[in-house]
């Protein structure tokens, strides 16, 4: 059998992961992970100001190291059998570029300027600008440019561009255009970085830049210019329009083929955002909901356009043409925080330990580091083990709004809260309340979609928490009162990107055909337990009441 290898690379929030897959059998032949070195040092970020930026060199250096290592794992001469490579990235993660499409942070004068770097998806510095955009785009000359995405978020394309153009005139003047991370990597690999003609993926264009055929493209330049003339300039320089993931963008450049150790005959495929690639890698199909459960969550479905006519979903989810699988409307909803909630709790509980260890001379620095790592690693699992196993209606209720609320009804100004604390409350009780809050946030999304007439027959979960936390996933099944299948894919996003690559190479004619050969099965299933379903349903009612009180009582 001829060996046909394809590479999928997944640029996450902290690192890039690459897998090399035999496109015929679906077998993973090699894989690697590489962290972003500058990001790991906390550079260019100001969490207290909601600023999260990443240097383009982090992407390039980690990508080269990661892919080369994954290819080497496949054995000698494996690179000669690589037919294609595709990527996925976080989003919206845009960056200002010059006329040649070079990120400004790669130029000497902007090398250490965070505004000249990629604005990571969770950067919330543009809340004020997002509110302005909402006011104008919701009704401009009788057109609602937000009808397919709902409330515009500060995490998205136009808001970040507008904010940076206002706070940094030098960057605004030097930025001929802006590009998404998901579009820049394929452009670099093919040496086709001209902003006017470079690849723009359907996923980013539809969900974040508001491209839609009903508008004949982006929101009109008149509309965008009425917010700020600079947005009109960026719109005019956006290019001819988006293309699907899996589109063949041409051969990889000689430079990058050499850097990665793969054949110069390999082609570069179109890209998408990470969650969408994860949905493809998990096996998404009509009536199947794929939940990517990690630091945040993303819920995805695909639906035929005709089935969505007449449905007002703008406050429940985002819709974009061809964003997940060509020929379908991609439906996306999400929570701004899930795993991040538990990371916060762990960091909070570890604070005294960190500070005590830092000021003690009784043990060595190496022992301090080892002890800290061990405590952090065991923290959450210990809390899980000490939760009461008897189903009960909880008296402690928390909200999942640690990073605002995305869906339903986006409100980024919301903050979390915990109600019902008393002197007898212990750490496992707080952890349980936060776990329920995270799953209740998922339930509000799920129930809203079903109530709006979206048919959901099956749920597949992927991501770190889905694989590692049986407690969280059983809780999710009980709260949603639906079975949940856990995908075997350890790197679902990278596998989705590999599926894109196989289509770009012509090995398969479509993404659904490639999924049959490359997607993995389930490793386990969680089924709702009747007695827990009833108890959680009553606690959920408390969650809704508490949320209404916090949101509408003027306490925010």
């Amino acid at each position: 059998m001829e060996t046909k290898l394809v590479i999928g690379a997944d640029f996450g929030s902290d690192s890039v992961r690459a897998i090399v897959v035999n496109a015929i059998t679906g077998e993973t032949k090699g894989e690697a992970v590489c962290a972003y070195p500058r990001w790991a040092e906390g550079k260019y970020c100001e969490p207290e100001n909601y600023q999260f930026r990443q240097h383009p060199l982090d992407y390039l250096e980690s990508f080269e190291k990661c892919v080369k290592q994954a290819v080497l794992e496949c054995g000698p001469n494996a690179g000669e059998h690589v037919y294609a490579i595709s990527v996925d990235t976080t989003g919206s993660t845009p960056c200002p570029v010059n006329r040649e499409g070079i990120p400004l942070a790669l130029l000497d004068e902007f090398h250490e300027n965070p505004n000249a770097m990629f604005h990571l998806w969770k950067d919330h510095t543009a809340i004020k600008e997002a509110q302005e955009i909402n006011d104008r785009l919701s009704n401009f000359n009788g057109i609602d440019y937000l009808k397919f995405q709902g409330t515009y978020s500060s995490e998205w394309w136009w808001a970040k561009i507008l904010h940076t153009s206002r706070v940094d005139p030098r960057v605004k003047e030097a930025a001929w255009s802006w590009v998404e991370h998901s579009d820049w990597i394929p452009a670099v690999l093919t040496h086709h970085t001209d902003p006017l003609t470079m690849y723009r993926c359907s996923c980013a264009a539809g969900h974040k830049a508001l491209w839609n055929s009903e508008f004949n493209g982006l929101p009109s330049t008149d509309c965008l210019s009425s917010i700020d003339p600079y947005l009109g300039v960026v719109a005019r320089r956006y290019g001819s329009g988006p293309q699907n993931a899996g589109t063949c963008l041409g051969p990889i450049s000689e430079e990058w083929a050499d850097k990665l150790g793969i054949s110069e005959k390999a082609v570069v495929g179109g890209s998408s955002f990470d969650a969408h690639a994860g949905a493809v890698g998990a096996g998404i199909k009509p009536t199947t909901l794929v939940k990517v459960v990690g630091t945040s969550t993303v819920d995805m479905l695909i639906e035929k356009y005709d089935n969505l006519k007449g449905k007002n979903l703008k406050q429940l989810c985002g819709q974009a043409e061809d964003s997940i699988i060509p020929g379908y409307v991609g439906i996306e909803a999400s929570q701004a925080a899930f795993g991040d909630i538990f990371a916060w709790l762990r960091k909070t509980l570890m604070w005294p330990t960190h500070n005590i260890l830092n000021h003690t001379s009784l043990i060595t620095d190496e022992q301090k580091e080892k002890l800290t790592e061990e405590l952090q690693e065991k923290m959450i699992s210990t809390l899980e083990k000490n939760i009461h196993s008897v189903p009960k209606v909880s008296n402690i209720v928390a909200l999942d709004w640690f990073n605002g609320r995305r869906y339903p009804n986006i409100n980024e100004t919301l903050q979390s809260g915990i109600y019902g604390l008393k002197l007898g409350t212990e750490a496992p009780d707080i952890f349980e309340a936060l776990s329920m809050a995270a799953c209740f946030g998922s339930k509000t999304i799920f129930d809203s979609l079903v109530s709006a007439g979206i048919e959901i027959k099956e749920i597949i979960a992927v991501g770190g928490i889905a694989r590692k936390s049986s407690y969280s996933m059983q809780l999710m099944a009980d709260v949603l009162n639906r079975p949940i299948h856990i995908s075997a894919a350890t790197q679902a996003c990278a596998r989705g990107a590999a599926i894109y690559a196989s289509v770009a190479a012509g090995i398969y004619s479509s993404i659904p055909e490639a999924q049959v050969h490359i997607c993995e099965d389930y490793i386990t299933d969680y089924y709702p337990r009747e007695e827990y379903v009833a108890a959680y349903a009553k606690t959920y009612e408390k969650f809704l009441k508490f949320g209404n009180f916090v949101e509408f009582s003027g306490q925010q």
Side-chain angles (χ1 to χ4, degrees):
M1 180 184 294
E2 183 181 4
T3 301
K4 295 184 178 182
L5 301 179
V6 292
I7 299 174
D10 167 39
F11 288 84
S13 297
D14 304 317
S15 61
V16 59
R17 311 160 187 85
I19 62 172
V20 184
V21 176
N22 182 330
I24 306 302
T25 65
E27 179 186 3
T28 300
K29 306 297 291 184
E31 57 184 308
V33 179
C34 185
Y36 306 136
R38 297 163 188 80
W39 172 262
E41 294 176 16
K43 287 188 173 183
Y44 318 120
C45 296
E46 298 175 6
E48 68 278 8
N49 295 321
Y50 311 107
Q51 176 180 300
F52 297 93
R53 309 290 164 82
Q54 293 183 324
H55 202 289
L57 286 179
D58 263 2
Y59 298 151
L60 296 179
E61 294 167 0
S62 300
F63 175 71
E64 178 182 349
K65 180 179 178 180
C66 182
V67 172
K68 179 178 283 188
Q69 182 178 335
V71 172
L72 287 174
E73 269 197 11
C74 301
N77 304 318
E80 298 175 5
H81 301 285
V82 173
Y83 277 57
I85 181 170
S86 290
V87 307
D88 66 78
T89 75
T90 63
S92 181
T93 302
C95 180
V97 297
N98 65 8
R99 179 63 186 87
E100 290 73 40
I102 299 172
L104 298 186
L106 294 180
L107 307 179
D108 290 342
E109 60 185 303
F110 294 107
H111 191 68
E112 294 295 316
N113 185 341
N115 295 321
M117 300 175 188
F118 283 90
H119 296 45
L120 186 64
W121 64 271
K122 65 179 180 179
D123 188 290
H124 282 184
T125 54
I127 290 178
K128 177 179 177 292
E129 287 76 13
Q131 291 172 342
E132 291 181 54
I133 290 171
N134 278 297
D135 291 342
R136 189 58 53 87
L137 265 63
S138 60
N139 185 4
F140 182 80
N141 292 337
I143 300 175
D144 180 5
Y145 287 110
L146 301 178
K147 67 181 296 183
F148 297 111
Q149 298 304 326
T151 305
Y152 203 81
S153 169
S154 67
E155 296 180 0
W156 297 354
W157 170 264
W158 296 115
K160 289 176 173 175
I161 294 173
L162 181 58
H163 175 76
T164 299
S165 71
R166 288 176 171 174
V167 301
D168 199 327
R170 288 181 64 244
V171 166
K172 176 184 177 181
E173 183 178 352
W176 195 84
S177 185
W178 286 67
V179 299
E180 282 279 1
H181 183 196
S182 57
D183 301 341
W184 181 63
I185 296 296
V188 168
L189 295 180
T190 56
H191 274 189
H192 192 169
T193 59
D194 185 337
L196 285 178
T197 57
M198 69 183 291
Y199 169 78
R200 307 272 187 168
C201 71
S202 298
C203 177
H207 284 292
K208 311 306 180 187
L210 305 180
W211 183 286
N212 195 279
S213 60
E214 185 168 313
F215 312 138
N216 296 314
L218 298 172
S220 71
T221 53
D222 287 345
C223 176
L224 293 168
S225 296
S226 71
I227 302 170
D228 190 293
Y230 183 64
L231 295 188
V233 172
V234 174
R236 285 191 290 272
R237 295 171 177 174
Y238 191 82
S240 58
Q243 295 174 285
N244 305 329
T247 300
C248 181
L249 306 181
I252 193 169
S253 70
E254 181 179 342
E255 174 193 1
W256 275 96
D258 181 63
K259 283 183 176 182
L260 303 179
I262 64 177
S263 171
E264 293 178 18
K265 296 179 181 179
V267 299
V268 178
S271 63
S272 78
F273 287 156
D274 48 3
H276 298 73
V280 169
I284 194 169
K285 57 185 181 292
T287 72
T288 293
L289 169 67
V290 173
K291 291 184 68 70
V292 179
V293 188
T295 57
S296 58
T297 71
V298 184
D299 293 1
M300 288 157 293
L301 294 148
I302 58 173
E303 186 61 90
K304 285 293 186 181
Y305 178 80
D306 288 345
N307 293 341
L308 295 173
K309 284 184 178 179
K311 290 183 172 68
N312 183 0
L313 305 176
K314 65 178 294 184
Q315 299 304 329
L316 310 182
C317 63
Q319 305 170 62
E321 299 156 309
D322 303 322
S323 69
I324 300 176
I325 293 182
Y328 292 90
V329 174
I331 298 174
E332 173 191 88
S334 56
Q335 291 169 266
F338 197 98
D340 269 350
I341 297 173
F342 311 118
W344 167 82
L345 179 63
R346 180 173 61 190
K347 182 179 179 181
T348 301
L349 293 177
M350 283 292 297
W351 189 91
T353 302
H354 276 303
N355 281 268
I356 292 170
L357 288 177
N358 286 338
H359 291 87
T360 184
S361 58
L362 297 178
I363 57 177
T364 65
D365 288 345
E366 183 178 349
Q367 289 173 320
K368 292 176 186 178
E369 183 177 351
K370 183 178 180 180
L371 178 59
T372 299
E373 289 179 356
E374 184 177 352
L375 289 172
Q376 289 185 152
E377 183 179 343
K378 294 182 178 180
M379 177 77 69
I380 299 301
S381 61
T382 301
L383 290 169
E384 287 181 356
K385 291 175 184 176
N386 284 276
I387 290 174
H388 301 292
S389 59
V390 179
K392 61 182 176 64
V393 180
S394 178
N395 291 317
I396 304 174
V397 182
L399 302 172
D400 64 313
W401 302 336
F402 278 72
N403 203 16
R405 183 180 64 214
R406 284 195 192 144
Y407 293 102
N409 302 309
I410 292 175
N411 187 341
E412 294 179 322
T413 67
L414 292 175
Q415 299 170 9
S416 183
I418 303 176
Y419 172 78
L421 299 178
K422 54 187 179 181
L423 291 178
T425 301
E426 297 184 335
D429 301 315
I430 297 174
F431 173 75
E432 181 182 33
L434 292 173
S435 297
M436 285 190 287
C439 291
F440 289 160
S442 282
K443 181 174 172 60
T444 62
I445 294 171
F446 181 87
D447 287 354
S448 297
L449 292 172
V450 172
S451 297
I454 303 298
E455 186 178 12
I456 301 175
K457 294 181 178 178
E458 179 184 40
I459 302 174
I460 301 173
V462 296
I465 289 179
R467 291 182 58 85
K468 297 175 183 178
S469 177
S470 58
Y471 167 74
S472 293
M473 299 320 298
Q474 181 60 63
L475 175 61
M476 181 80 73
D478 293 334
V479 167
L480 297 183
N481 197 17
R482 293 286 190 101
I484 297 178
H485 309 296
I486 308 301
S487 170
T490 56
Q491 301 291 353
C493 299
R495 186 162 292 271
I499 288 172
Y500 300 156
S502 71
V503 176
I507 299 171
Y508 299 109
S509 62
S510 68
I511 287 175
E513 181 187 359
Q515 285 177 299
V516 172
H517 299 272
I518 298 178
C519 285
E520 296 177 289
D521 206 345
Y522 309 139
I523 54 171
T524 190
D525 305 293
Y526 294 94
Y527 295 93
R529 300 166 296 181
E530 186 175 347
E531 64 276 22
Y532 285 85
V533 169
Y536 290 138
K538 292 179 180 178
T539 307
Y540 179 63
E541 292 302 317
K542 293 185 177 184
F543 168 85
L544 295 177
K545 290 179 180 178
F546 182 40
N548 285 333
F549 171 78
V550 170
E551 183 170 6
F552 300 115
S553 68
Q555 300 300 309
Q556 289 292 327

